[in-house]
């Protein structure tokens, strides 16, 4: 059995610029502010514009990664796992579209994990 270890030095992130505070969510949805903060554990949320597909967010995260890692070289990427709750479309897989748009090698393993709330944790695992 092969022991596979992965220790990323840099992780690219994208945080949408449009944000809503808990008070705005309370006013719009009618929840109690304490429920949002105590039960859900957040004080606000961020949204992308409706015309920005998830591939936009993924490419923005790669742009952030390039800023953090000056030696980033897309041609050396061997695997791309794209984790989302809502892909842009079912087929082809979003990871395959990103493979082409980001200039990853054709030999790279690329696939989607379409999960709900647990997607981030499953992706890290």
């Amino acid at each position: 059995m092969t022991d596979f270890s992965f220790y990323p030095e840099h992780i690219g992130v994208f945080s949408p610029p449009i944000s809503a505070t808990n008070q705005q969510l309370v006013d719009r949805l009618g929840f109690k502010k304490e429920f949002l903060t105590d039960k859900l554990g957040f004080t606000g949320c961020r949204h992308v514009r409706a015309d920005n597909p998830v591939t936009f967010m993924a490419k923005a995260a790669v742009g952030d990664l390039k800023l953090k890692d000056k030696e980033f070289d897309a041609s050396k990427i061997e695997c791309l796992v794209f984790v989302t709750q809502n892909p842009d479309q079912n087929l082809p897989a979003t990871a395959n579209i990103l493979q082409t748009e980001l200039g990853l090698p054709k030999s790279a393993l690329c696939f989607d994990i379409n999960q709900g709330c647990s997607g981030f944790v499953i992706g890290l695992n």
Side-chain angles (χ1 to χ4, degrees), residues 52-64:
N52 285 340
V54 293
T55 51
F56 164 82
M57 293 185 282
K59 289 188 281 186
V62 171
D64 178 64

Side-chain angles (χ1 to χ4, degrees), residues 7-125:
Y7 303 100
E9 292 182 24
H10 305 283
I11 296 175
V13 297
F14 171 71
S15 182
I18 303 169
S19 62
T21 65
N22 275 3
Q23 188 59 53
Q24 290 169 312
L25 294 172
V26 165
D27 294 342
R28 193 172 103 213
L29 303 172
F31 290 115
K32 291 186 178 182
K33 189 173 183 178
E34 294 77 23
F35 172 79
L36 292 174
T37 304
D38 297 341
K39 300 294 182 192
L40 301 178
F42 61 82
T43 58
C45 61
R46 297 191 171 268
H47 302 273
V48 293
R49 292 188 345 236
D51 61 340
N52 285 340
V54 293
T55 51
F56 164 82
M57 293 185 282
K59 289 188 281 186
V62 171
D64 178 64
L65 178 60
K66 289 179 181 179
L67 290 173
K68 294 175 182 173
D69 183 355
K70 300 299 182 195
E71 296 178 16
F72 177 84
D73 183 356
S75 69
K76 293 182 181 179
I77 302 294
E78 296 176 346
C79 180
L80 171 67
V81 181
F82 181 77
V83 182
T84 186
Q85 181 170 348
N86 300 310
D88 292 336
Q89 70 281 324
N90 291 329
L91 290 172
T94 305
N96 298 123
I97 293 168
L98 288 169
Q99 179 181 22
T100 300
E101 292 184 6
L102 295 173
L104 276 57
K106 291 183 179 184
S107 60
L109 173 64
C110 299
F111 61 93
D112 288 9
I113 296 177
N114 296 322
Q115 286 288 327
C117 298
S118 61
F120 179 73
V121 176
I122 290 171
L124 286 177
N125 189 28

